[in-house]
Amino acid sequence: MREILGRRRRLLSRRKGGQSELISAALTFATQWQWPVLPGVAPDPQGRARCACPDPECTVPGAHPFDPGLLAATTDARLVRWWWTNRPGAPVIMATGGKAPCAVSLPALAASRALALLDRRGMRLGPVIAAPARWALLVKPYSMEQLGELLYAKDFVPGSLRFHGEGGYVALPPSQTGQGAVRWERAPLPGSASPWVPDVEAVVDAVVDALTRTGVSAPEL
């Protein structure tokens, strides 16, 4: 009996630790870095690969906002604390654009190879979020007009690239989604007031070139 109780306490301790980590991260993003956040839909407890939202065909299970909607994203500490006190396992979702970073995402394998090439070139990158299927490189906020001009000037842009600007969102570490854990591939420097992020032009130019050179630009995932 003592062994069973001890095992249960260890499991509860791990759960509480994970929940504490989520609320601590959400508060750091919102209050220290001024990134507006809100809780995402949790994965379906009946099957983690499915989403708890009403859409049976959801392509990002557990990794998107639903109730509240994206417009509720905030930097208010009291609301953030209330949300994760009531929904302690909810993924942390950042509303991109505005004063918050935007993001450029691509399939995980392509991203891994692109980052390796950019490292060899000595390019400075900001934080990089890694989810099982896709990685996202955080960039400075940009407008849709700015992005349109940037893409129009290019001869070729891989269809696998996605852009998360105003009205978009990304899941932040240490969220758990239906596709698995979200982590930092390149973590922000500890203690930084607000992480440095590069311009979108520099990242798109470098990533498109890296994808073309490594031959992994075809998958449109």
Side-chain angles (χ1 to χ4, degrees):
M1 177 63 73
R2 283 198 298 270
E3 183 179 347
I4 294 173
L5 289 174
R7 189 180 304 159
R8 184 176 298 172
R9 289 193 190 101
R10 288 194 296 273
L11 288 171
L12 287 172
S13 175
R14 287 175 191 166
R15 289 174 187 166
K16 289 178 181 176
Q19 293 169 0
S20 174
E21 190 180 10
L22 275 169
I23 193 170
S24 176
L27 285 168
T28 296
F29 301 143
T31 62
Q32 184 174 329
W33 297 350
Q34 293 296 294
W35 294 359
V37 298
L38 76 163
V41 181
D44 188 337
Q46 301 298 320
R48 291 193 61 84
R50 300 196 304 267
C51 191
C53 76
D55 182 4
E57 305 297 326
C58 182
T59 58
V60 283
H64 66 91
F66 174 66
D67 183 18
L70 186 62
L71 292 178
T74 185
T75 58
D76 182 82
R78 291 173 298 177
L79 186 52
V80 169
R81 191 174 284 108
W82 184 86
W83 272 336
W84 271 274
T85 298
N86 288 276
R87 298 168 59 179
V92 182
I93 303 296
M94 177 182 72
T96 52
K99 294 183 179 180
C102 293
V104 177
S105 73
L106 59 160
L109 176 60
S112 175
R113 294 181 178 177
L115 260 62
L117 180 58
L118 299 182
D119 283 343
R120 291 196 293 271
R121 294 178 178 176
M123 179 176 175
R124 184 186 181 190
L125 294 172
V128 178
I129 302 165
R134 297 183 69 85
W135 291 10
L137 289 70
L138 297 187
V139 298
K140 290 180 181 177
Y142 56 76
S143 67
M144 296 309 295
E145 291 78 11
Q146 181 184 3
L147 179 62
E149 292 176 1
L150 172 63
L151 299 182
Y152 182 77
K154 294 202 163 298
D155 295 328
F156 170 72
V157 177
S160 56
L161 284 185
R162 292 181 188 164
F163 300 91
H164 309 258
E166 188 77 34
Y169 60 87
V170 291
L172 296 174
S175 299
Q176 289 286 337
T177 74
Q179 295 177 331
V182 179
R183 61 179 177 82
W184 293 114
E185 174 63 23
R186 302 289 169 86
L189 294 176
S192 54
S194 182
W196 178 87
V197 290
D199 291 327
V200 66
E201 292 92 342
V203 168
V204 171
D205 287 346
V207 167
V208 168
D209 182 58
L211 290 178
T212 303
R213 288 178 181 273
T214 54
V216 289
S217 60
E220 300 193 11
L221 303 176

